[in-house]
Amino acid sequence: MKYEKRPITAILRSPKTVFTFKDIALIWGDDNKSAIASAINYYVRTGQLYSIRRGIYAKDKNYQKEELATRIFTPSYISFETVLAKEGINFQYYSQIFVASYLTRELTIDNQTYVFKKIKNLVLTNPAGIMHANETSIATAERAVLDTLYINTDYHFDNVRSLDWDKVFEILPIYKNKSLARKLVQIKKGNP
């Protein structure tokens, strides 16, 4: 079979490091699923693409783990403890990558654990407090605090001084949760 119509170079030039079957079809501008699958299988067999898991591929084993986290189940975005630790709101280190998703799962892929936490669709698909960078969707610190409290109202934060409380209360209405609002007022006052 000829693969010139589906050149690997188009994938290698992409800024993405992780590709779904659908991404590759779009890059190649092709809708022939069997031909695409055949070409992908050829590139995986010859070591020009790396198969991460069924339907998800990378240029090589050095793909971005956070990018993969948001490609396994879509829609999704990185949030919870991953963002809280990165933003200095929690001092605890977590090796897992925590992701807001439409389902709850824990997967380990290439020695990296991904923890997906279910959040209702109205919240999950609302772009308020979500940044997009390096082919990844990630919550701001304010959105991560809200997501975390939405899932666990008894959660303790180590340091909330860096939060922009105006942004927190601007994003709050998407949760439609009065107890969450009361909890935030207590945390802001310093009485969690």
Side-chain angles (χ1 to χ4, degrees), residues 91-169:
F91 301 142
Q92 174 82 29
Y93 169 76
Y94 297 93
S95 61
Q96 307 96 319
I97 296 176
F98 293 88
V99 185
S101 180
Y102 61 90
L103 47 70
T104 299
R105 292 277 190 288
E106 186 170 315
L107 302 171
T108 301
I109 302 168
D110 290 337
N111 298 316
Q112 175 63 60
T113 301
Y114 301 89
V115 178
F116 296 88
K117 295 184 180 186
K118 183 177 181 175
I119 210 160
K120 69 180 177 180
N121 281 342
L122 280 173
V123 175
L124 181 63
T125 58
N126 192 307
I130 304 293
M131 302 177 301
H132 304 282
N134 302 322
E135 306 297 330
T136 305
S137 298
I138 189 165
T140 60
E142 293 78 14
R143 175 77 180 245
V145 164
L146 287 162
D147 287 345
T148 303
L149 285 174
Y150 179 72
I151 299 289
N152 180 2
T153 55
D154 294 330
Y155 197 90
H156 171 76
F157 302 101
D158 296 322
N159 175 22
V160 293
R161 287 180 295 226
S162 64
L163 287 176
D164 181 334
W165 286 100
D166 291 337
K167 286 182 183 175
V168 170
F169 287 103

